[in-house]
Each structure stands twice: as C-alpha cells, then as structure tokens.
Amino acid sequence: MQTAANAYQAYTGPHPDAVVHGAIKARAEGGTMKALAWFGAKDVRVIDAPIPDVIEDKDVVLKVTGTTICGSDLHLYHGEIMTMQKGDILGHEFMGVVDRVGKSVTKLKPGDRVVTSFQIACGQCSYCKRKLSSFCDRTNDSVLQEKMYGQRDAGFFGYSHFTGGFPGGQAEYVRVPFGEVNCLPLPNSIPDEAGLYLSDILPTSYHCVADTGVKEGDTVGIWGLGPIGICTARWCQLKGAKRIIGIDQ
C-alpha cells in the first residue's frame, strides 16, 4: 500500500492550491538533532536529523520543550496510514520556545513560549475565515487525498504525506508554517505539562461536546475512555450533563 500510494503522489505532484509544503531545509551552519522517525510498520527509531531552518517568510522554528504520543500515532506505528516514507519524523502534539522566525513574523520573537495546533492552518482561506481551520485548503498538497475523498483537509504535523508530509514535533526542533496562526503564546506560569494539553487533547475532546450540543441536564454516552474520552466526560460535567455513561472494555 505504501509503495503504490507514494508512487501515485510522486506521479501527480503537489496540489496546485497548496502554498506550503513539508520540505526540510537544513541550517547553513549545519548541526543535527534527535528525532523519532518512522521506518516501517512497528519500526520507529530515534535518529540524528538536520536541524530545520526557516523556509517561508511566515515560518517559525521551535526548540521543542514538551511533546507526547497521541493514540492516533498508533495508526502510523502499525502501518495503517498510507504515504508514509522511511525517515518521516513523527509527532503532532508539542510545544516549545521560539528559536527562529521568518521575516514576515512580527507577533512572535525568539524566546517566546508557545504551544502549537496539531493541524496547520493558513488563516486566510475561506475555511479559516469561518473558523473551520481543519478544512484549510492551502496547507495540504496531497492530490491523492482529494482523489479519494473529494477534498483535502488541512496539513498535519508528523502524520504522513497524505496530510502534507510535514515533519513532526517528536524532535528537538520543528518548523511551524504560518507560525503566527498556529502558535499560541503561553505565560511562564503555565508549565509544559499543562500547556501541552492545548495542542490536541483538550480541543479535540471539547469538539466532541460542542459538536453534539451537550447542555445542562443531558444524559451523555461516551464510547471509549482513553485520554480523549476522560476529558470529554469532564467537559460534559462542566456543561451540566445530568448523567454520563462511559463505555469501554
């Protein structure tokens, strides 16, 4: 599956509407970092990889201070997601300190602590302007995804070339396209262990509750009580649910 999917994407080339790509530009002064990379089903390794540099004017490069593994990473680990390539750097939940910025970045500076979104939004397309950033159609260059599903979602960090091929944050450094859109500044009073929740788990679990319209007095059923399910239950409590039924093995 991986070979055929990668061959098709190589044949079609990047989608013409995508304005950023998952390229890696090593720093002119050299240097390497530790990163977790995929090499096949059930084969991930800590490797030495080039430290990324700014490519686009709106890029931000972070020195990662906190990262974690998502349940979704297991799909990559088991080889269930197509268009993975050997050496792809994993990780879409991370935060850190701004290390470098592109020349168009004015709201962030080196030394700022930030947490990033797991998805990559441009902030300017019709979807982003409607606050539907996961549908951003300018950050994922996968023609294959559009052919299979009729549209493309936003680019994701560290989650295959089906979502843009962007190197992820299970590494010492990571490049964040459209840094001012995708980085949220954090005060020093919030530790990494708390701020990291904003990268995926808290917004994902809240999305479950907001999408289904949980309100005061409701009875809610939650299938699956992993970290997302447990956080979803807490959001339901805050929304005033009368009864919460958790279903798991």
Side-chain angles (χ1 to χ4, degrees):
M1 179 181 73
Q2 301 291 357
T3 301
N6 281 315
Y8 181 84
Q9 290 217 142
Y11 171 75
T12 59
H15 196 285
D17 292 343
V19 296
V20 291
H21 307 280
I24 297 176
K25 176 185 176 183
R27 299 190 177 191
E29 65 270 28
T32 61
M33 64 177 183
K34 297 297 183 183
L36 184 69
W38 184 93
F39 283 88
K42 299 183 179 181
D43 183 4
V44 296
R45 310 171 194 173
V46 175
I47 64 169
D48 291 313
I51 298 175
D53 203 354
V54 167
I55 297 177
E56 306 287 347
D57 291 347
K58 296 182 180 181
D59 285 352
V60 167
V61 176
L62 299 185
K63 179 178 176 62
V64 176
T65 59
T67 186
T68 190
I69 297 170
C70 178
S72 299
D73 290 329
L74 293 176
H75 300 308
L76 304 178
Y77 179 73
H78 290 293
E80 298 166 353
I81 305 297
M82 64 180 66
T83 69
M84 291 295 292
Q85 297 177 12
K86 290 184 178 181
D88 282 350
I89 297 174
L90 305 177
H92 58 268
E93 299 186 32
F94 56 90
M95 62 168 295
V97 176
V98 174
D99 183 65
R100 293 187 175 184
V101 300
K103 63 183 181 181
S104 296
V105 176
T106 60
K107 297 178 182 178
L108 296 171
K109 64 183 185 304
D112 288 348
R113 292 179 69 240
V114 298
V115 60
T116 65
S117 167
F118 66 88
Q119 66 192 22
I120 302 169
C122 74
Q124 295 296 319
C125 70
S126 60
Y127 290 109
C128 286
K129 289 180 178 178
R130 285 181 283 163
K131 298 185 178 181
L132 299 172
S133 54
S134 63
F135 290 115
C136 178
D137 58 7
R138 300 175 73 219
T139 59
N140 180 3
D141 64 8
S142 175
V143 173
L144 177 60
Q145 186 179 124
E146 186 171 271
K147 291 292 185 183
M148 290 182 64
Y149 295 108
Q151 65 182 47
R152 293 166 294 121
D153 58 23
F156 290 179
F157 289 103
Y159 214 77
S160 87
H161 297 261
F162 201 62
T163 61
F166 294 92
Q170 290 171 12
E172 293 182 284
Y173 291 85
V174 62
R175 167 186 166 240
V176 180
F178 297 108
E180 292 184 343
V181 177
N182 297 299
C183 292
L184 176 69
L186 288 178
N188 290 330
S189 59
I190 298 178
D192 286 7
E193 291 80 2
L196 189 57
Y197 276 75
L198 289 170
S199 64
D200 187 345
I201 185 170
L202 282 184
T204 297
S205 55
Y206 183 77
H207 185 74
C208 297
V209 175
D211 248 16
T212 53
V214 175
K215 61 185 182 299
E216 188 170 356
D218 280 351
T219 296
V220 182
I222 300 173
W223 275 258
L225 293 175
I228 296 293
I230 292 171
C231 287
T232 300
R234 181 60 177 143
W235 285 121
C236 289
Q237 288 179 320
L238 293 173
K239 289 286 188 179
K242 178 179 65 176
R243 187 183 186 199
I244 301 168
I245 303 169
I247 303 160
D248 208 330
Q249 294 181 342

